[in-house]
Amino acid sequence: MNWVVEKDYEALSRCAAALFLEAVHRMPGIVLGLPTGRTPVSMYARVVSECSRDTRCFRDATTFNLDEYVSIPRNHPGSYFTYMKKHLIDHVDLDPSHAHVPDGTAATVLGQHPALSFEEALERECRRYEEEIRVAGGLDLCFLGLGQNGHIGFNEPGTPFGARTRVVRLSESTRVANASLFADGHVPERAITMGIGTIVEARRLVLLASGPAKRDALARLTSSEPDPSFPASALWLHEDVMVIADRDAAGQLDLSPRK
Ligand code: GLP
């Protein structure tokens, strides 16, 4: 695992955006795994500002988002589909049909499978998403955020490392942490997430961690062995992982390489 500690959030975002753009330019047909949340917002803004100058950035690229809430409309401000349109898709030359976000809305999943129950249709959507990633050739590069409890995507503590894309129940702490975009306070209870097994099959992983709220999770990541009670520790099983943290998140961590 390689570690980069930047002095603040903007420096972290500059570093992540440079890595993102370098990968997209080096491999035009890249398949990206993409996160949501507060942390990658400035990374996306920097990518967008570079790519609006070079309109061919994403022409042959494909993206797969890590996760999406179940049962909220895709145009809801808290939906990750809306997030991706706002922060990336609407501003670059990415073909919208190559920008994949799991779909947890009854209208679509049931519309496609009218003979199924909603639960069966959701399961079908998870299998379809996993299959789309496989058909695309797998993820070349996957960016990740870090939950305060160590979750990656929406894989909460206790998730087996082999888990595939599926419907999950969110922990109370995750719902509280993500409440700001749900003005009515009704944060969805479930989500569709790429599994840890799906994520660690990406050829390259980049984890972003910013701010003091991530300090404990990052400290645990540096000190833990792979352990399903702390999902991000699955990254120790991968050979090409970069963690980009800012000083607020890294604190006084000892980042000397592991023996
Ligand atoms: C959410 C998302 C994760 C994200 C995490 C951290 O739960 N499902 O994919 O990485 O939160 O978000 P933030 O960057 O806002 O702290």
Side-chain angles (χ1 to χ4, degrees):
M1 204 179 284
N2 297 307
W3 295 77
V4 175
V5 178
E6 296 287 355
K7 72 174 167 31
D8 57 21
Y9 175 64
E10 284 312 320
L12 171 155
S13 304
R14 201 177 311 123
C15 175
L19 201 146
F20 190 128
L21 287 161
E22 193 271 327
V24 169
H25 286 134
R26 188 168 32 85
M27 190 180 182
I30 196 166
V31 181
L32 292 162
L34 295 179
T36 50
R38 287 171 288 267
T39 311
V41 166
S42 179
M43 173 186 79
Y44 287 131
R46 289 167 184 277
V47 166
V48 164
S49 79
E50 285 300 315
C51 288
S52 48
R53 269 177 256 151
D54 168 7
T55 52
R56 291 160 69 108
C57 271
F58 286 90
R59 198 179 55 171
D60 300 316
T62 302
T63 64
F64 287 93
N65 265 79
L66 290 166
D67 44 22
E68 176 61 292
Y69 293 107
V70 165
S71 286
I72 56 166
R74 297 203 111 187
N75 61 1
H76 186 287
S79 147
Y80 289 162
F81 180 78
T82 293
Y83 174 107
M84 289 311 294
K85 280 175 66 61
K86 176 175 167 193
H87 293 293
L88 185 73
I89 299 168
D90 284 353
H91 312 291
V92 297
D93 62 325
L94 177 62
D95 180 339
S97 71
H98 293 170
H100 304 274
V101 181
D103 193 334
T105 60
T108 325
V109 297
L110 274 179
Q112 282 163 7
H113 308 290
L116 302 180
S117 70
F118 181 45
E119 296 306 317
E120 289 168 335
L122 282 177
E123 278 173 32
R124 187 74 74 94
E125 167 65 6
C126 295
R127 287 198 298 275
R128 183 195 68 76
Y129 202 70
E130 188 78 28
E131 179 63 9
E132 287 219 48
I133 295 171
R134 194 189 66 73
V135 169
L139 305 174
D140 295 303
L141 168 63
C142 183
F143 287 88
L144 301 165
L146 179 65
Q148 292 175 32
N149 62 4
H151 72 227
I152 50 175
F154 266 136
N155 293 286
E156 298 281 32
T159 303
F161 284 170
R164 315 305 303 192
T165 302
R166 70 207 186 287
V167 177
V168 294
R169 192 158 288 284
L170 303 177
S171 73
E172 204 42 42
S173 65
T174 295
R175 294 179 68 225
V176 169
N178 291 355
S180 61
L181 288 172
F182 295 89
D184 53 7
H186 290 306
V187 186
E189 292 179 0
R190 297 194 300 163
I192 292 176
T193 184
M194 261 186 219
I196 295 182
T198 322
I199 291 169
V200 298
E201 279 174 10
R203 287 176 267 286
R204 190 175 171 206
L205 295 168
V206 177
L207 179 92
L208 309 177
S210 168
K214 302 297 169 69
R215 197 173 290 179
D216 289 351
L218 217 49
R220 189 161 172 201
L221 178 60
T222 56
S223 61
S224 73
E225 299 297 319
D227 173 357
S229 71
F230 188 70
S233 66
L235 303 188
W236 285 111
L237 301 171
H238 196 286
E239 285 181 353
D240 191 350
V241 179
M242 178 176 283
V243 178
I244 310 176
D246 61 15
R247 183 50 65 199
D248 277 350
Q252 301 304 316
L253 287 180
D254 174 10
L255 300 176
S256 46
R258 277 191 182 191
K259 279 136 219 121

